[in-house]
Amino acid sequence: MAEESSERYAGRGVSSTKSEVHSAIKRIDKGLYPQAFCKVIPDVLTNDPDWALVMHADGRIVGGEERMG
């Protein structure tokens, strides 16, 4: 099953392991919570320490700002 899935990805010209993506982003700042699915960074729009920005892996801001703490 895994091999079949991998072949489908390869047929579309992409990697099922996302190794290219991991290689491209390995030196990028991981944000406040490096193990989080979404990147969480300080609120650089208002510089308010009580708020943070949450970005999905595709670069979109998710749910606007999130209050810290």
Side-chain angles (χ1 to χ4, degrees), residues 2 11 14 23 27 37 44 52-53:
V14 296
S23 177
R27 291 184 197 88
F37 176 75
V44 296
L53 300 175

Side-chain angles (χ1 to χ4, degrees), residues 21-42 53-57:
V21 173
H22 292 286
S23 177
I25 66 170
K26 67 183 172 187
R27 291 184 197 88
I28 294 177
D29 175 24
K30 305 294 189 263
L32 298 173
Y33 301 97
Q35 301 300 316
F37 176 75
C38 293
K39 184 173 182 178
V40 181
I41 62 171
L53 300 175
V54 179
M55 292 186 287
H56 188 271

Side-chain angles (χ1 to χ4, degrees), residues 49-66:
D50 291 333
W51 292 85
L53 300 175
V54 179
M55 292 186 287
H56 188 271
D58 66 6
R60 292 182 292 159
I61 301 292
V62 177
E65 296 178 296
E66 301 293 331

